[in-house]
Amino acid sequence: MKKFSDFPLIREKNDLLRFKLFRSTFGNVKFLNILRASLLLLTLYAIFFGLIHPDRKENIFTTALFWGLFWPFFMVITLPTVGNFFCMVCPHGFLSRKLSKSGLKLNLPKGLKNPYIGLGLNIILYWFILYTFPGVLREPLVTALFFLFFTLLAIAVSLIFTNGAYCRYFCPIGRVAPAFARVGFTWLSTYNRELCDSKCDKPDCAFACPYKLSPLKFDKNNSMDTCTLCMECANSCEGVKLSVRRWSHSLLKKIPKPQSWEVWVYIILLAVITITMRFHHGLGHSPVKESLPWVIIGKWLQETTGIGKPFDFVGLTALIMALLITLSLVLGGFYLTSRIINRSYRDVFLNLGYALAPLMIVGSLSHVCHFFFTHYYHEVINGFAQAFFLDFRVEPLADRKDTWLRIFNIFPFIAAFWSGYIMWRRLGFFEVKGFKKIVSYILSSGIIIFYLGLTVFILYVRYFGHTGHHH
Ligand code: SF4
Ligand code: SF4
């Protein structure tokens, strides 16, 4: 039987696995498993720490680890840069792959093979709670219970069902991270497909994949599906490569089998995270606060129903309004575009929807960078010092009033132009020209234009607001 390894391989210049140091670390399952196991221990310890120290005053570690380190650094920073690094080192993915080897290995029932289960859990258990019960997720006990729930879910699902079920269908990040990883510049695939097709009798890479994906097809499909970068495939055959490509390269090319779940991830999270955040937090403390529609409606609902703290109608109204605005701008814009260019609505949705990928994830960088200097840095360091009984403390790197922090306001603009550029390129697939192209471009970019306008408005009220207060 001929194998890929029978043919000497000269690695391409842009293949990260070309570097020995990379091959023996992030290209190496053993190294990764040690890293994942350490992160698992850290996760379990942080959960335990949150359960025995439920109070905010005596526990900064639990929240700092999850919301100050894992979420901003592994998600927001890595996805638009190096890609799906989060899943690569994820302790739950590690646990799930290990456990399912000795579990019942049942096939997941058809009804549960639904890409929206994980996304739904993400929105209901995190974002919905964040807006409607403000502050609750900052509590160490709640944070610990939140991660305990997902740890137990990962264990249960992996013990019952075949490999990969947890990551692919239940994990709240499982669909989100691979979809946003398209924005970054790395790409996993295999060398020379011809050689793989004709000379390789048994595709080791596909057999090795715990998620039953075939890296052989990643290039052809212009999709890595739900690849978690676990690197099992790369360790089974040297024909696998992890290349550095042009930023967002996969979004600039046609996607032969576009997936509606991917597009829905972009749209829903854009509404639930970015637009709601801007409504609620971006403007919620500004001088115009009292005249915002969601504040007026929210307060009215609160008075009429008599339901008050800890439930927040203002947050809920902001969330619903953001969803309605985003959905009407995106779906309405795509519908009108489909009429103008004479293509089916589905075609337009599946092709142009991918242009929205950078909007949420690149825009979120401004918040995360800002918070690194004002919150995350000292909270994470002091949290670790507290959890491991070390006797030192560090101060915040910056005060939120520091004017130089304003430099991070650049990210939402980069996000909008990035998405706008991809939209223009993807509209080109439909071979529309001239005036039609410009009109359909403006219509299909409605949400990008709205996002830009909202960003400018927030900056305006924040820095030049008429009362002169800076919050
Ligand atoms: S899909 Fe979820 S559990 Fe699986 S590796 Fe990614 S983050 Fe971890
Ligand atoms: S293709 Fe499969 S085996 Fe390879 S890195 Fe992705 S998830 Fe892991």
Side-chain angles (χ1 to χ4, degrees), residues 13-64:
K13 268 213 173 102
N14 62 353
D15 180 1
L16 286 171
L17 293 168
R18 182 167 70 101
F19 303 104
K20 203 163 178 253
L21 185 67
F22 192 89
R23 268 207 312 282
S24 49
T25 53
F26 294 104
N28 179 337
V29 174
K30 280 202 192 95
F31 171 88
L32 285 171
N33 277 346
I34 294 171
L35 185 61
R36 292 160 182 156
S38 324
L39 289 171
L40 179 62
L41 287 178
L42 198 61
T43 302
L44 296 176
Y45 180 52
I47 293 174
F48 171 72
F49 204 78
L51 296 176
I52 56 166
H53 300 294
D55 196 75
R56 250 167 138 159
K57 285 188 205 77
E58 50 187 55
N59 178 355
I60 49 172
F61 173 62
T62 305
T63 49

Side-chain angles (χ1 to χ4, degrees), residues 272-443:
V272 170
I273 304 183
T274 316
I275 306 290
T276 314
M277 272 288 183
R278 259 142 226 267
F279 280 179
H280 194 40
H281 295 277
L283 288 167
H285 309 283
S286 70
V288 296
K289 182 178 178 192
E290 295 308 321
S291 37
L292 299 168
W294 50 93
V295 176
I296 297 172
I297 300 175
K299 285 198 171 153
W300 176 80
L301 281 170
Q302 192 161 332
E303 275 162 31
T304 349
T305 58
I307 302 171
K309 276 183 182 169
F311 189 80
D312 183 13
F313 267 115
V314 177
L316 178 66
T317 317
L319 175 63
I320 294 173
M321 289 185 82
L323 266 167
L324 291 177
I325 291 176
T326 310
L327 289 177
S328 15
L329 284 175
V330 175
L331 306 183
F334 287 169
Y335 173 75
L336 293 175
T337 303
S338 77
R339 299 306 296 260
I340 293 179
I341 64 174
N342 252 328
R343 298 293 281 254
S344 75
Y345 165 75
R346 197 184 143 74
D347 238 15
V348 171
F349 176 85
L350 285 177
N351 270 293
L352 300 187
Y354 280 90
L356 301 175
L359 212 51
M360 184 295 265
I361 200 75
V362 176
S364 299
L365 281 169
S366 70
H367 181 256
V368 161
C369 290
H370 192 117
F371 264 59
F372 173 78
F373 292 96
T374 57
H375 289 80
Y376 298 151
Y377 167 79
H378 73 277
E379 281 171 10
V380 170
I381 304 258
N382 295 341
F384 270 86
Q386 181 185 52
F388 296 97
F389 312 103
L390 305 169
D391 193 20
F392 66 85
R393 281 188 67 83
V394 293
E395 295 300 316
L397 289 174
D399 185 87
R400 65 176 184 186
K401 289 198 198 78
D402 290 353
T403 42
W404 66 268
L405 288 170
R406 293 181 188 183
I407 187 153
F408 299 124
N409 289 328
I410 189 80
F411 285 113
F413 294 96
I414 297 178
F417 286 111
W418 199 327
S419 263
Y421 172 67
I422 297 175
M423 187 68 85
W424 182 256
R425 292 280 303 264
R426 298 194 72 83
L427 196 58
F429 300 158
F430 292 116
E431 286 159 6
V432 266
K433 293 209 174 62
F435 186 63
K436 262 193 181 177
K437 185 168 185 184
I438 295 184
V439 176
S440 29
Y441 179 66
I442 294 171
L443 287 171

Side-chain angles (χ1 to χ4, degrees), residues 29-271:
V29 174
K30 280 202 192 95
F31 171 88
L32 285 171
N33 277 346
I34 294 171
L35 185 61
R36 292 160 182 156
S38 324
L39 289 171
L40 179 62
L41 287 178
L42 198 61
T43 302
L44 296 176
Y45 180 52
I47 293 174
F48 171 72
F49 204 78
L51 296 176
I52 56 166
H53 300 294
D55 196 75
R56 250 167 138 159
K57 285 188 205 77
E58 50 187 55
N59 178 355
I60 49 172
F61 173 62
T62 305
T63 49
L65 181 77
F66 292 121
W67 310 130
L69 187 69
F70 282 8
W71 154 253
F73 286 94
F74 291 168
M75 290 285 290
V76 184
I77 306 256
T78 53
L79 287 179
T81 53
V82 295
N84 197 0
F85 184 80
F86 188 89
C87 286
M88 186 190 238
V89 300
C90 169
H92 283 166
F94 166 71
L95 190 66
S96 145
R97 289 188 293 271
K98 287 281 170 224
L99 289 180
S100 51
K101 281 191 187 134
S102 44
L104 295 175
K105 298 189 185 140
L106 299 182
N107 270 324
L108 196 66
K110 247 204 167 139
L112 289 178
K113 284 192 178 166
N114 183 334
Y116 299 105
I117 296 175
L119 183 65
L121 287 176
N122 175 318
I123 290 165
I124 295 164
L125 292 185
Y126 185 76
W127 293 101
F128 181 77
I129 305 272
L130 185 88
Y131 298 125
T132 54
F133 293 94
V136 137
L137 286 166
R138 300 255 89 203
E139 295 294 333
L141 180 63
V142 180
T143 304
L145 291 173
F146 183 90
F147 283 92
L148 181 62
F149 170 77
F150 281 107
T151 309
L152 294 176
L153 186 67
I155 294 175
V157 170
S158 312
L159 282 177
I160 302 172
F161 298 111
T162 46
N163 228 342
Y166 180 72
C167 291
R168 272 173 78 96
Y169 298 102
F170 296 90
C171 172
I173 316 266
R175 297 271 164 168
V176 173
F180 284 105
R182 278 187 183 274
V183 180
F185 56 67
T186 57
W187 190 259
L188 186 124
S189 56
T190 55
Y191 270 101
N192 196 344
R193 283 189 31 80
E194 257 172 75
L195 186 65
C196 290
D197 278 348
S198 58
K199 310 271 171 60
C200 188
D201 302 320
K202 173 178 166 283
D204 283 345
C205 59
F207 277 97
C209 178
Y211 306 95
K212 302 190 184 80
L213 306 176
S214 177
L216 278 170
K217 296 188 190 133
F218 285 0
D219 273 338
K220 197 173 110 216
N221 290 345
N222 188 17
S223 165
M224 287 166 59
D225 205 309
T226 51
C227 172
T228 63
L229 289 185
C230 70
M231 301 312 261
E232 294 287 347
C233 55
N235 281 220
S236 75
C237 173
E238 61 160 356
V240 174
K241 61 180 169 182
L242 184 66
S243 28
V244 172
R245 300 203 178 166
R246 202 177 151 192
W247 242 309
S248 309
H249 72 97
S250 76
L251 296 168
L252 296 170
K253 287 188 295 195
K254 275 198 180 151
I255 296 161
K257 292 182 201 152
Q259 301 291 324
S260 54
W261 64 261
E262 256 182 318
V263 176
W264 278 115
V265 164
Y266 302 138
I267 299 175
I268 297 289
L269 292 190
L270 181 61

